[in-house]
Amino acid sequence: MQDKITRILKAVADPTRREIFHALVVAAAALPITQISNQFDISRQGVTKHIKTLEEAGLVQIQSKGRERFCIANAQPLKEINKWIGFYEQFWDNVIGDLEGYLDQNA
Protein backbone atom coordinates (compact mmCIF):
# COMPACT_ATOMS: atom_id res chain seq x y z
CA MET A 1 0.00 0.00 0.00
CA GLN A 2 2.83 2.44 0.83
CA ASP A 3 4.29 2.20 -2.68
CA LYS A 4 0.86 2.96 -4.09
CA ILE A 5 0.52 6.03 -1.88
CA THR A 6 4.04 7.14 -2.82
CA ARG A 7 3.20 6.92 -6.53
CA ILE A 8 -0.01 8.90 -6.05
CA LEU A 9 1.68 11.61 -3.97
CA LYS A 10 4.52 11.85 -6.50
CA ALA A 11 1.99 12.22 -9.30
CA VAL A 12 0.04 15.02 -7.64
CA ALA A 13 3.15 16.78 -6.30
CA ASP A 14 3.77 18.48 -9.63
CA PRO A 15 1.49 21.44 -10.48
CA THR A 16 1.37 20.58 -14.19
CA ARG A 17 0.25 17.03 -13.43
CA ARG A 18 -2.41 18.39 -11.07
CA GLU A 19 -3.64 20.68 -13.85
CA ILE A 20 -3.73 17.81 -16.35
CA PHE A 21 -5.61 15.61 -13.89
CA HIS A 22 -8.01 18.47 -13.07
CA ALA A 23 -8.68 19.10 -16.76
CA LEU A 24 -9.51 15.43 -17.24
CA VAL A 25 -11.78 15.34 -14.20
CA VAL A 26 -13.63 18.48 -15.31
CA ALA A 27 -13.99 17.13 -18.84
CA ALA A 28 -15.57 13.96 -17.43
CA ALA A 29 -14.68 12.28 -20.71
CA ALA A 30 -11.70 10.83 -22.51
CA LEU A 31 -9.57 13.54 -24.10
CA PRO A 32 -6.95 13.04 -26.81
CA ILE A 33 -3.38 13.71 -25.71
CA THR A 34 -3.12 16.30 -28.49
CA GLN A 35 -6.00 18.30 -27.00
CA ILE A 36 -4.49 18.08 -23.53
CA SER A 37 -1.05 19.16 -24.71
CA ASN A 38 -2.56 22.18 -26.50
CA GLN A 39 -3.65 23.51 -23.09
CA PHE A 40 -0.06 23.72 -21.80
CA ASP A 41 2.97 25.76 -22.68
CA ILE A 42 5.24 22.70 -22.84
CA SER A 43 5.97 20.17 -25.56
CA ARG A 44 3.65 17.29 -26.32
CA GLN A 45 6.48 14.99 -25.20
CA GLY A 46 6.57 16.81 -21.84
CA VAL A 47 2.82 16.43 -21.42
CA THR A 48 3.09 12.75 -22.36
CA LYS A 49 5.69 12.22 -19.61
CA HIS A 50 3.37 13.85 -17.07
CA ILE A 51 0.49 11.68 -18.26
CA LYS A 52 2.68 8.58 -17.94
CA THR A 53 3.39 9.46 -14.28
CA LEU A 54 -0.35 9.94 -13.67
CA GLU A 55 -1.01 6.60 -15.37
CA GLU A 56 1.59 4.81 -13.20
CA ALA A 57 -0.21 6.18 -10.14
CA GLY A 58 -3.52 4.87 -11.49
CA LEU A 59 -4.97 8.39 -11.81
CA VAL A 60 -5.24 8.26 -15.61
CA GLN A 61 -6.15 5.50 -18.00
CA ILE A 62 -4.98 5.64 -21.60
CA GLN A 63 -6.96 4.11 -24.44
CA SER A 64 -5.85 3.90 -28.04
CA LYS A 65 -8.32 4.44 -30.87
CA GLY A 66 -6.64 4.27 -34.23
CA ARG A 67 -3.60 6.51 -34.17
CA GLU A 68 -4.91 8.70 -31.36
CA ARG A 69 -4.42 8.05 -27.65
CA PHE A 70 -7.13 9.17 -25.24
CA CYS A 71 -6.83 9.84 -21.51
CA ILE A 72 -9.52 9.58 -18.90
CA ALA A 73 -9.26 10.48 -15.22
CA ASN A 74 -9.62 7.86 -12.51
CA ALA A 75 -10.06 9.55 -9.11
CA GLN A 76 -10.45 6.22 -7.28
CA PRO A 77 -6.79 6.08 -6.11
CA LEU A 78 -7.32 9.35 -4.24
CA LYS A 79 -9.46 7.37 -1.78
CA GLU A 80 -6.24 5.67 -0.59
CA ILE A 81 -4.77 9.09 0.19
CA ASN A 82 -7.96 10.14 1.92
CA LYS A 83 -7.88 7.00 4.06
CA TRP A 84 -4.19 7.55 4.90
CA ILE A 85 -4.81 11.19 5.87
CA GLY A 86 -7.91 10.16 7.82
CA PHE A 87 -5.76 8.07 10.16
CA TYR A 88 -3.66 11.11 11.07
CA GLU A 89 -6.69 13.36 11.27
CA GLN A 90 -8.17 10.97 13.85
CA PHE A 91 -4.85 10.89 15.70
CA TRP A 92 -4.75 14.69 16.01
CA ASP A 93 -8.44 14.87 16.96
CA ASN A 94 -7.69 12.44 19.81
CA VAL A 95 -4.61 14.40 20.92
CA ILE A 96 -6.54 17.68 20.93
CA GLY A 97 -9.43 16.01 22.75
CA ASP A 98 -7.04 14.70 25.40
CA LEU A 99 -5.50 18.17 25.75
CA GLU A 100 -8.93 19.76 26.14
CA GLY A 101 -9.80 17.24 28.84
CA TYR A 102 -6.53 17.91 30.65
CA LEU A 103 -7.04 21.68 30.49
CA ASP A 104 -10.64 21.37 31.72
CA GLN A 105 -9.49 19.29 34.73
CA ASN A 106 -6.67 21.67 35.60
CA ALA A 107 -8.38 24.99 35.01
Side-chain angles (χ1 to χ4, degrees), residues 44-100:
R44 179 187 161 109
Q45 183 181 12
V47 170
T48 301
K49 283 184 177 183
H50 285 303
I51 290 171
K52 182 71 176 162
T53 302
L54 290 166
E55 181 185 32
E56 289 169 357
L59 294 169
V60 168
Q61 296 172 339
I62 299 175
Q63 304 164 346
S64 295
K65 292 181 184 173
R67 293 177 50 168
E68 191 71 63
R69 293 175 62 197
F70 291 82
C71 301
I72 189 159
N74 177 23
Q76 190 71 26
L78 295 178
K79 287 185 177 184
E80 290 293 324
I81 300 299
N82 191 35
K83 192 165 64 173
W84 183 74
I85 290 172
F87 171 82
Y88 292 99
E89 183 178 31
Q90 183 64 47
F91 169 80
W92 285 110
D93 286 348
N94 291 343
V95 168
I96 291 172
D98 291 347
L99 177 61
E100 286 175 357

